[in-house]
Amino acid sequence: MPSRTTRAALAAVVASLTAATLLQTPATAATAPETVAQQPTTHAATLPPLSASDQRMVTMLTRRDDNPALGRDLAGVVTDAASTRVLYAATRFERQLPASTAKLLTAVNVLQSYGPAHRFTTTVRKGRYWSQVTLVGGGDPSLSSRSLDAMAAYTATALKAHGVKRVAVYVDDSLFPAPSLAYGWQSTYVPGEVRPVRALVVNQHQVWDTSIDAGKVFAGRLAARGLSIATVARARAVSGSPVLAASSGRRLDSMVGTMLRSSDNDYAEAFHRLVALKTGYPATWSGAAAAQRSVLRGLGVDLGSSSMYDGSGLSRADRLTPQQLAAVLTLAVDGGHPRLVSLPGALPLAGRSGTLAPEFKRYTTWPTSCAAGNVQAKTGSLSGVVSLAGYARGADGRTKVFAFLLNGVPSTLTTRQAVDRLATTITGCW
């Protein structure tokens, strides 16, 4: 990695260049924290000299990235969202562990593949006999016990109309293959950090077998309606059997917001598999990884020699560059991808919400408190890894895209707040 002095000297040169691998984005100053990254305008054919505020920002970043709390292997980039001009760079093509900033790829892929208004459906199908029903998982991570209760009401009515008093409940989660660990996952991650990935889960219960668990919840609702339960077991639905009840989950853009703001690994891995299925790949780890690359390539972002083995960023083998993260973030504000425009508003808002909320001691004290409401970003944290990538509104009112990856650092509040200071510097308020 170049020395800090060398990087400082290079910063002025880098600031005068355009980012060749970033997509062109339109521009206009955002007017509210919630829409800090939404700015439609025209891309300038010829880039003018850096504004005074951008020059100051670059100068201050180059000074402040020497903070010992940032470690010795900071990789980062800051671009102007309108012109895609690289304003600041620190080994921006270096592949590093991204941690949960990898969820930005998952969010873009699932939104692009299905559209923000899509809802995933769970069904109840008649079995071979009227005394058998099958709860079929559609991969919906938002399935609730209230939805199961409503489906149980319809199902019980249909069964009783056929004289059924005792019913066998089966669960079909065959949409996804049998769970296994992703390459680079530690066995201790399951089920605390992430559940075994199945196509059926209710209320995000953190249990080993979420499908059987959902079947038991559904059976309990049937029992509450006067039916006795013979068994709850796993079995494939009978092909072509009638649908007795169905439930559509929350809108996809809403679920993506849940995933990004709370950094939900289970949502991320469900979306990772669902993208594979939508794009014609098998819902295996390798199929989902191939689909991930394919969708991004179609959007103009090439992962190249970077490696991604999951959708959540938990894998210790994952590698991304700051430049790639910036390219993915730019897609949502370039005016050419309407399915992605909800991404900025789905991110944690500095000092306000999600993993950047005050309870996590982010953007609440000097010097970062002045940037509260002006930074929208995805956090990332693993042992030895701290990352932050998103959007910041600069002193000139224009949106900046940034990504900072730190490897080989203590995953402590001190390190996270040091990265917050870099994002605060981008806003120009400190």
Side-chain angles (χ1 to χ4, degrees), residues 32-242:
E34 290 74 15
T35 56
V36 16
Q38 298 171 10
Q39 35 171 2
T41 95
T42 347
H43 177 61
T46 304
L47 294 174
L50 283 185
S51 66
S53 60
D54 276 349
Q55 186 59 65
R56 179 185 181 278
M57 180 261 289
V58 172
T59 300
M60 298 309 293
L61 274 177
T62 307
R63 291 177 185 171
R64 291 168 178 169
D65 68 6
D66 221 5
N67 184 347
L70 296 169
R72 299 175 58 84
D73 198 20
L74 166 68
V77 67
V78 180
T79 70
D80 181 86
S83 64
T84 70
R85 185 178 195 170
V86 176
L87 304 173
Y88 163 89
T91 59
R92 61 189 169 114
F93 298 111
E94 181 182 354
R95 294 184 294 277
Q96 293 220 24
L97 276 159
S100 282
T101 55
K103 291 183 176 74
L104 292 167
L105 277 63
T106 304
V108 162
N109 278 0
V110 75
L111 286 168
Q112 182 65 23
S113 297
Y114 286 93
H118 186 82
R119 299 172 190 267
F120 298 104
T121 302
T122 307
T123 59
V124 179
R125 291 182 174 270
K126 172 186 170 294
R128 192 170 301 278
Y129 308 102
W130 276 102
S131 58
Q132 300 171 340
V133 295
T134 306
L135 180 64
V136 183
D140 177 21
S142 71
L143 180 67
S144 67
S145 54
R146 177 179 295 184
S147 296
L148 287 184
D149 188 60
M151 287 195 289
Y154 284 106
T155 302
T157 298
L159 297 183
K160 289 177 181 180
H162 287 82
V164 174
K165 296 181 180 179
R166 183 173 175 82
V167 61
V169 174
Y170 297 104
V171 294
D172 182 348
D173 58 4
S174 61
L175 186 69
F176 298 166
S180 62
L181 295 178
Y183 180 70
W185 277 14
Q186 299 177 3
S187 59
T188 53
Y189 289 165
V190 183
E193 296 292 331
V194 62
R195 294 185 308 266
V197 185
R198 301 183 191 273
L200 185 58
V201 58
V202 61
N203 290 348
Q204 287 290 300
H205 285 170
Q206 210 73 20
V207 296
W208 281 96
D209 195 331
T210 58
S211 303
I212 292 296
D213 173 68
K216 289 179 178 178
V217 173
F218 181 65
R221 298 300 195 270
L222 292 175
R225 287 168 171 79
L227 294 169
S228 64
I229 307 302
T231 188
V232 176
R234 181 177 277 101
R236 291 282 187 101
V238 177
S239 179
S241 61

